[in-house]
Amino acid sequence: MLDIKRLERRWLKYKIKKFLPYAVGVIAILILGITTFFWTYPEDSKNAPKVVTLPQKLPAEPVVQPIETTVLEPSMEFVQSFQGTPPPQKAQAVAAYSPKPVQRQVYSKPVVETFNVPEYTPPQPKVLTPAPKVSTNANGISINRDESKLDIDELQSRFKENSNANLGLFIARYHYEHGNYSEAYNYALKTNTLNNRIDESWILFAKSLVKLNRIDQAKKTLQLYISQSNSDNAKGLLESIDNGSFK
Amino acid sequence: MENSLFSKPRDLFLDVVNPRDYVQIDSVSHMYQLLKDSVQKPLKMILLYGRPGTGKSMLLHKLHHDLSKHQKVFMVSTPIIDEDDFLRVLAQNIFGHAPREVMTLNRFLEVSGALSLSDVPIVLLDEAQLYSSALMEKIRLISDARAIKFVITLHKTDKEDVIAKEHFQTRIWESIELQNASAEELKVYIQKKLLKANCFDVANMFNDKNMKLITSLTKGNYRETNKLLFSLFSLYCWYEENQPHSLQYNAIKPKWIEMAAIHTGLIHA
């Protein structure tokens, strides 16, 4: 008889034990980093006493800073501009600001584009098809066997007999993984007619359509399905088809 | 509990050797074909060895099941340690001779010589590492006299290399080593077993991530895999009955695989 509570406690203990070395390592690196930072920082400030002027400029750099600095600075600049001498400090400050927002804008776009992409990359077809092994018997007859493949023909004939939606989904997934997109389409369609609430079957159906270059039909199908089910997976797939990240 | 979706898959992975449960996988089928071919050759002894849980007993039972339709085959699943009992059991089951007196080796060879069978009968010995050296020597003499052809299975351990054993060094003409399954083979094994029993929805739950975890825990050993999956589906049965809201039907939870591994001793927590 299973003692689930005890088993869950043991699992938690195991997980803590497993991740403890990593956590300790990360904390140690953090502590090391912080201490080295504080160790080296005062030395730098001691070695370069001339740069003491910098702290006076620093409060002027962030625009967010309250009125204290902005109230004082403009009056001085105006005085300088009236005297005809351009303020060199301000020019430096503007130059220091300009690259930051530009970089942020550049980085922000790819984050949006890569939404949900890894989930929809088709798995490698190698998984179920290792190279057939060859055996030779006394008469020199070689036997090629490839039993690692699932007996898909047998499964298909069983599906014809019992029309089980789960089996249909299994076969559709098998064909999709092996690149037989038209077969995957057919079986996903049959599965959908048997049970129209299986999310994965609709996803496979739409993905097979895309692979068969029937992108518009795939989009329409997904839109229809989303309107009925509000499926997040379907939304993600539709978005990646629109972006062109799923081909 | 018995109406659970997971009770049938659980029972599929009971560690019972039954030739009807034999699942065809690439490497295993290849080994089985080799074994069948070896049996047809005029060899005296065939050795089938490998680590525990690599499917030796299953292959031997399968061979017995297939060969017994065509020729005289006798299977000794549980080792008979006593020499007299061993020879007596063989004489009775193969030659139909039930002596009242003590069965010596000479007497046994006389009996076998008197009955001239067209084909040399085959005896399958499972767990042969449990036989004594003296009895193994007698088995060797019987096979030398071509009274019986032996197919024996042995555990391969780290400490001793069974092939190097004195009995087998010169007498074995064919030796076949069984190994653990790869991740792909294990996936096919589990899925074929589930599909054979019409557990399509449960078969759909296993993804590649699950299979990697199972393979890393069991190292591709069939017996360990059976034990792990039996525990896993027992957990599912419990959760289905007591906490159905925690169940997910689209994938197997890695947490529960690890819990099953803790329960079976594959993870020491």
Side-chain angles (χ1 to χ4, degrees), chain B residues 144-162:
Chain B
D144 273 354
R146 294 199 181 275
I148 289 172
K149 188 187 282 184
F150 286 96
V151 179
I152 60 177
T153 70
L154 277 171
H155 282 182
K156 189 187 179 187
T157 58
D158 290 327
K159 289 178 185 173
E160 54 177 349
D161 185 0
V162 285

Side-chain angles (χ1 to χ4, degrees), chain A residues 114-139:
Chain A
T114 53
F115 178 71
N116 253 357
V117 170
E119 285 186 20
Y120 295 105
T121 50
Q124 291 294 318
K126 290 174 189 172
V127 178
L128 291 172
T129 57
K133 296 189 178 175
V134 178
S135 68
T136 314
N137 66 7
N139 303 324

Side-chain angles (χ1 to χ4, degrees), chain A residues 198-233:
Chain A
I198 303 175
D199 203 49
E200 195 186 344
S201 177
W202 283 98
I203 300 286
L204 271 174
F205 181 70
K207 280 161 90 175
S208 305
L209 278 171
V210 174
K211 295 286 182 187
L212 294 168
N213 279 328
R214 290 156 70 179
I215 297 165
D216 289 338
Q217 202 181 337
K219 282 181 183 176
K220 276 180 192 169
T221 309
L222 283 171
Q223 282 160 357
L224 195 71
Y225 179 61
I226 290 164
S227 68
Q228 288 177 359
S229 67
N230 209 22
S231 158
D232 289 336
N233 288 333

